[in-house]
Amino acid sequence: MLMSTTSTVEPPAKRRREEDKDSDAEVSITRSPEYWFDDGNIILQVESTQFCVAKSVLSMHSLVFRDMFRLPLPVDEPTVENCPVVILSGDCTQDWNHLLGAMYTKRCFPTEPPTIEFIAAVLRLSKKYDIPHFRQDCVTRLKMEVPTTFERWEDWGAEPADKPYIKHHKDGILFLIVSLAREVGLHSVLPIAYYCIVAREGYHYMPRLLDETELDWNLVDRHTCQCLQGYVKLIELQARTTSVLLKPSGCRIPKHCQPALKDIVIATFKHYPTVLEARDWGDEMCDHCRCKAKEIVEDSRKECWEKLPSMFGLPNWEDLKSLDLSLE
């Protein structure tokens, strides 16, 4: 509990490193340049940084802080400028900078999408300190960025790429989303995140990862292994579903349509799977074959969506979503 940590607070000006208790080295406590308010009445100490903020603001957002502030403070509570000090063990200063930035927002209508670091910090702390509205906002934004239903996937593909729900300021953002989802328990975003890594963002390097001469196996982590395993399974699944197109029935001009269908199948067998991607069929085939191929592929896409979690060794969609309940 938060209150129990306050009893271990040392004189607020200095704090010894826990891992160097026998040393004379000390860590200087610094005040946050942005979140130290003259009218604040509680000081939060995260690592070596102190934030002077208002209990009312923390209580308005956080059920944990609201309940904590209802309890009387110990008589020997350490203070700085007559404000009690609460040490938040295990937290990161940068995470609290992001969270307080959300609590003390400076703009009424933000125009820029948040970074993944901001989402991660707010989601991480909103789960720990029970901040339901922030937690739900972060979950919603992640699920808009990484679809968890086939209907949302269809809409997502038609949305402008220059209007992301999370700011794409660096390569490998999907790996960061995967790590965050596993950390906080947002399991339903994992299948599409993994799929996009191997089929979209990562298609240009996934085949290279399979070349042992270029792969540093010391750098292979759990996510990369799952991506590689899923990559192979998706290619196999694509072969089973797309090969049906090579056997058109009822076509009156097979000499014309057969080569066109073959070209479509060959085009899908590049270096990355496309089992969930919509297709533009054009006019290369007769109306009968075009309608039949479209029907086959659309049915295959829905089937592949249902099988997608298993491609990466995950439970089915319903089980994944049920695991998200603690964040809803």
Side-chain angles (χ1 to χ4, degrees):
M1 296 298 292
L2 288 176
M3 289 300 296
S4 62
T5 62
T6 59
S7 61
T8 63
V9 175
E10 298 181 15
K14 299 285 184 180
R15 179 168 62 89
R16 291 186 180 274
R17 293 181 185 270
E18 292 181 1
E19 68 273 18
D20 195 17
K21 292 181 180 179
D22 296 330
S23 172
D24 291 333
E26 293 181 332
V27 177
S28 297
I29 301 300
T30 60
R31 295 182 177 184
S32 168
E34 191 169 6
Y35 302 108
W36 184 278
F37 301 110
D38 292 338
D39 58 350
N41 54 9
I42 188 73
I43 292 176
L44 306 179
Q45 183 170 313
V46 184
E47 297 178 317
S48 61
T49 301
Q50 292 183 339
F51 304 91
C52 186
V53 292
K55 291 181 182 179
S56 58
V57 173
L58 294 175
S59 298
M60 178 176 64
H61 294 291
S62 167
L63 301 181
V64 170
F65 281 107
R66 184 192 64 186
D67 293 342
M68 186 188 82
F69 294 146
R70 287 176 175 173
L71 300 175
L73 293 175
V75 294
D76 58 346
E77 186 75 15
T79 62
V80 172
E81 297 185 0
N82 297 320
C83 294
V85 178
V86 177
I87 295 179
L88 303 180
S89 302
D91 291 353
C92 169
T93 300
Q94 189 56 44
D95 282 358
W96 268 94
N97 278 320
H98 286 308
L99 180 60
L100 291 174
M103 290 182 176
Y104 289 90
T105 180
K106 295 179 179 179
R107 302 190 63 175
C108 183
F109 302 108
T111 56
E112 287 288 324
T115 64
I116 185 61
E117 289 83 2
F118 179 91
I119 291 289
V122 175
L123 186 54
R124 189 179 293 126
L125 293 178
S126 65
K127 181 181 181 183
K128 180 176 181 179
Y129 296 105
D130 200 356
I131 308 176
H133 297 302
F134 285 5
R135 183 170 66 247
Q136 185 57 58
D137 287 348
C138 290
V139 169
T140 299
R141 190 169 287 270
L142 278 171
K143 287 188 175 182
M144 293 299 286
E145 181 72 24
V146 184
T148 59
T149 66
F150 186 75
E151 293 72 23
R152 172 62 191 146
W153 170 257
E154 293 286 74
D155 295 339
W156 185 77
E159 291 175 352
D162 60 347
K163 292 184 178 180
Y165 295 93
I166 299 174
K167 187 175 182 180
H168 290 201
H169 66 293
K170 61 173 65 177
D171 294 333
I173 188 173
L174 286 169
F175 278 106
L176 298 177
I177 290 176
V178 166
S179 294
L180 174 61
R182 286 196 172 279
E183 176 189 346
V184 301
L186 186 58
H187 304 276
S188 64
V189 305
L190 292 173
I192 283 295
Y194 279 134
Y195 173 80
C196 287
I197 287 172
V198 301
R200 292 189 172 187
E201 178 177 300
Y203 75 87
H204 56 285
Y205 64 77
M206 287 308 296
R208 188 172 71 250
L209 289 178
L210 296 173
D211 185 353
E212 293 187 15
T213 63
E214 297 187 27
L215 180 61
D216 181 359
W217 288 101
N218 292 325
L219 300 179
V220 175
D221 59 11
R222 180 181 181 184
H223 303 326
T224 305
C225 288
Q226 282 194 275
C227 286
L228 290 170
Q229 292 169 1
Y231 172 83
V232 173
K233 290 181 180 179
L234 285 170
I235 290 294
E236 294 174 346
L237 179 62
Q238 182 165 283
R240 293 197 301 271
T241 56
T242 310
S243 61
V244 179
L245 296 176
L246 291 174
K247 302 175 182 178
S249 59
C251 177
R252 296 182 179 182
I253 48 174
K255 290 185 179 181
H256 171 75
C257 292
Q258 186 75 28
L261 286 168
K262 184 178 180 180
D263 289 342
I264 291 173
V265 173
I266 292 176
T268 64
F269 282 88
K270 295 183 179 179
H271 295 307
Y272 56 97
T274 58
V275 294
L276 296 181
E277 310 304 323
R279 303 182 188 279
D280 182 7
W281 294 100
D283 300 321
E284 292 83 3
M285 298 172 288
C286 68
D287 290 343
H288 171 80
C289 285
R290 183 166 56 251
C291 291
K292 189 66 176 178
K294 183 177 181 180
E295 178 184 345
I296 290 173
V297 169
E298 289 305 303
D299 288 344
S300 295
R301 290 177 66 220
K302 294 177 182 177
E303 177 186 351
C304 291
W305 175 272
E306 293 303 319
K307 292 181 178 179
L308 187 63
S310 66
M311 299 292 100
F312 298 99
L314 299 169
N316 61 47
W317 283 108
E318 291 304 315
D319 288 344
L320 288 172
K321 291 174 183 177
S322 68
L323 292 172
D324 290 347
L325 291 180
S326 63
L327 287 173
E328 297 292 344

